[in-house]
Amino acid sequence: MGTAKRLERAFTQAPVLPLGRRSKYVLISDCHRGVGTSSDNFLKNQHLYFAALEHYYRLGYTYIELGDGDELWENRRLRNIIEVHSDVYDMLTRFHISGRLYMLYGNHDIVKKRLQHPSGSMSIRDGYHYRNKKTSFARLDLPPANSDKRRNFLYHKKCPHNGQEQFPDTSAYTSGEGCCPQNKESHTLCPIYYEAIILRQESIPERSLYLTHGHQASLLNSTFWPLARFLVRYIWSPLENLGILDPTSAAKNYEVKEKSEQALRSWADENRRILITGHTHRPVMPEDFSYYYNTGSCVHPRCITCIEIERGMLTLVKWSMQARLDSVLYVARDVIGGPIDPFTKQPPLW
């Protein structure tokens, strides 16, 4: 199965979200949240990421993560990632409670595509239920469902209305209800991890944005990902600590990066679809008309990048640390591309 078929399959099963003049989305990819060690590439930019999320939450944006949010190739235990970056998961929970959270999986967290709660949703903080009941929970180091240890591992927050814990037990999964009638939105459920999402204008269906991680461009990272994970976990990750980069990584090998982007760009051009991905870690927003865009990543040496969608316009943004004249440090938001209308390269009609 080639790149085209893998992408077509992903978008055939993708949910469709509205794209209108009041829509506000932020697309962030390749966080690679780790366990706080020297191999945790997200650690150096976590303050930038958290400041960006606070900004987008306050302004009413919907957060869409385009895959590789958690580094589950180098790390076996999701619980350790959650414990280290608990503030991030607190923030994502706030997005979810307000109904503004959508998550995609990439190649480095592709195991999430096999993890789904029976009711059709997933829990960020409690872990995951496997579609295949025969699969052991040991892979993510989570206790069995309905066990005392599993209940003790739940993430608890106090309800602002009655003071009760919002996430008291696993029964909330099947009921889909909150802890009290005044706070029905607060529950443990989070969106399913999708492979792709489509943003579509209702009045002009042809004007759609196709979102996915982009690992479909690589046979190794999509079909043979167990082999790629083995190589990363036991060979390239230890060698990276010695300064030897992974030659199979689209983020670290220039030739692999170019090949992946060319495959994604070719599919977008041939199908005349606006495609927005991550995966290569290289932000892309051409000045001339293009069908291909890239959000970049959250593991750049001194910044994170993302794409904002507001009033139908795409804006490529960089978040970084800067200093005022009095030497006070602050987190700055800089526009490095756009805003542009991806369909016409002109200002929007509304």
Side-chain angles (χ1 to χ4, degrees):
M1 182 182 296
T3 299
K5 290 186 177 180
R6 287 192 289 267
L7 287 171
E8 288 291 346
R9 181 183 61 183
F11 288 116
T12 298
Q13 303 172 355
V16 179
L17 302 181
L19 179 64
R21 61 181 179 179
R22 297 184 179 180
S23 301
K24 299 172 71 174
Y25 296 98
V26 57
L27 312 181
I28 295 181
S29 181
D30 294 272
C31 298
H32 292 276
R33 293 179 287 266
V35 294
T37 64
S38 60
S39 298
D40 187 348
N41 295 322
F42 174 75
L43 196 62
K44 62 181 179 293
N45 290 333
Q46 63 175 340
H47 57 295
L48 303 176
Y49 176 82
F50 192 81
L53 259 60
E54 285 278 8
H55 170 84
Y56 293 122
Y57 180 81
R58 186 173 65 253
L59 295 184
Y61 279 79
T62 294
Y63 178 92
I64 302 180
E65 189 168 274
L66 300 187
D68 281 6
D70 299 302
E71 180 51 68
L72 293 175
W73 276 10
E74 295 183 9
N75 306 296
R76 290 175 175 270
R77 300 176 179 179
L78 179 62
R79 180 172 63 183
N80 293 345
I81 298 176
I82 292 173
E83 291 175 349
V84 170
H85 301 293
S86 59
D87 56 341
V88 169
Y89 288 93
D90 290 343
M91 192 72 238
L92 294 177
T93 299
R94 291 169 61 188
F95 272 97
H96 167 63
I97 290 175
S98 62
R100 295 185 281 135
L101 179 71
Y102 293 89
M103 310 288 276
L104 277 62
Y105 61 81
N107 51 307
H108 281 255
D109 55 1
I110 198 170
V111 292
K112 294 175 181 176
K113 78 175 182 178
R114 300 189 299 182
L115 312 176
Q116 180 182 355
H117 188 271
S119 65
S121 297
M122 301 175 64
S123 166
I124 278 187
R125 295 300 300 263
D126 178 45
Y128 309 93
H129 289 266
Y130 282 88
R131 284 197 181 106
N132 182 359
K133 296 182 178 179
K134 295 181 180 180
T135 305
S136 171
F137 279 91
R139 175 171 295 181
L140 293 183
D141 191 40
L142 298 177
N146 299 322
S147 68
D148 292 337
K149 291 184 178 180
R150 183 62 174 273
R151 281 190 287 271
N152 292 335
F153 186 65
L154 287 170
Y155 172 58
H156 297 279
K157 290 177 70 73
K158 296 292 184 179
C159 174
H161 299 283
N162 59 18
Q164 296 181 359
E165 291 177 330
Q166 292 182 4
F167 311 148
D169 55 41
T170 55
S171 62
Y173 290 146
T174 56
S175 64
E177 299 176 352
C179 58
C180 69
Q182 293 86 357
N183 194 25
K184 292 183 179 179
E185 296 86 359
S186 60
H187 48 72
T188 57
L189 301 184
C190 290
I192 298 173
Y193 278 76
Y194 300 102
E195 185 176 2
I197 286 179
I198 300 174
L199 304 182
R200 177 168 296 163
Q201 292 186 18
E202 295 182 2
S203 57
I204 311 177
E206 293 78 13
R207 290 194 170 192
S208 299
L209 303 178
Y210 293 79
L211 318 178
T212 190
H213 179 65
H215 62 288
Q216 298 89 344
S218 169
L219 182 66
L220 179 62
N221 287 315
S222 55
T223 303
F224 298 116
W225 65 266
L227 172 60
R229 182 182 61 180
F230 175 85
L231 295 174
V232 167
R233 181 174 293 174
Y234 298 108
I235 298 179
W236 299 122
S237 182
L239 289 178
E240 184 178 352
N241 294 327
L242 301 177
I244 302 176
L245 299 181
D246 179 2
T248 66
S249 171
K252 301 173 184 177
N253 185 292
Y254 183 81
E255 293 183 0
V256 176
K257 187 192 306 284
E258 286 287 337
K259 185 177 180 180
S260 296
E261 289 184 348
Q262 182 57 43
L264 295 170
R265 186 178 292 107
S266 296
W267 180 87
D269 291 342
E270 292 174 1
N271 292 273
R272 296 180 177 275
R273 294 178 178 178
I274 305 295
L275 179 65
I276 304 179
T277 70
H279 186 55
T280 65
H281 294 196
R282 179 162 58 183
V284 175
M285 184 165 287
E287 295 182 359
D288 299 327
F289 182 82
S290 174
Y291 287 104
Y292 174 70
Y293 299 85
N294 196 300
T295 60
S297 78
C298 294
V299 295
H300 298 295
R302 292 172 296 278
C303 69
I304 68 173
T305 58
C306 60
I307 289 180
E308 300 173 359
I309 304 176
E310 184 175 4
R311 295 182 64 84
M313 305 289 278
L314 302 186
T315 304
L316 183 62
V317 172
K318 176 182 73 173
W319 292 83
S320 62
M321 288 293 295
Q322 296 187 15
R324 305 185 192 276
L325 294 178
D326 58 359
S327 299
V328 174
L329 297 177
Y330 68 98
V331 177
R333 171 189 173 275
D334 297 313
V335 175
I336 58 177
I340 60 170
D341 184 336
F343 304 104
T344 65
K345 287 290 181 178
Q346 299 294 327
L349 299 178
W350 44 70

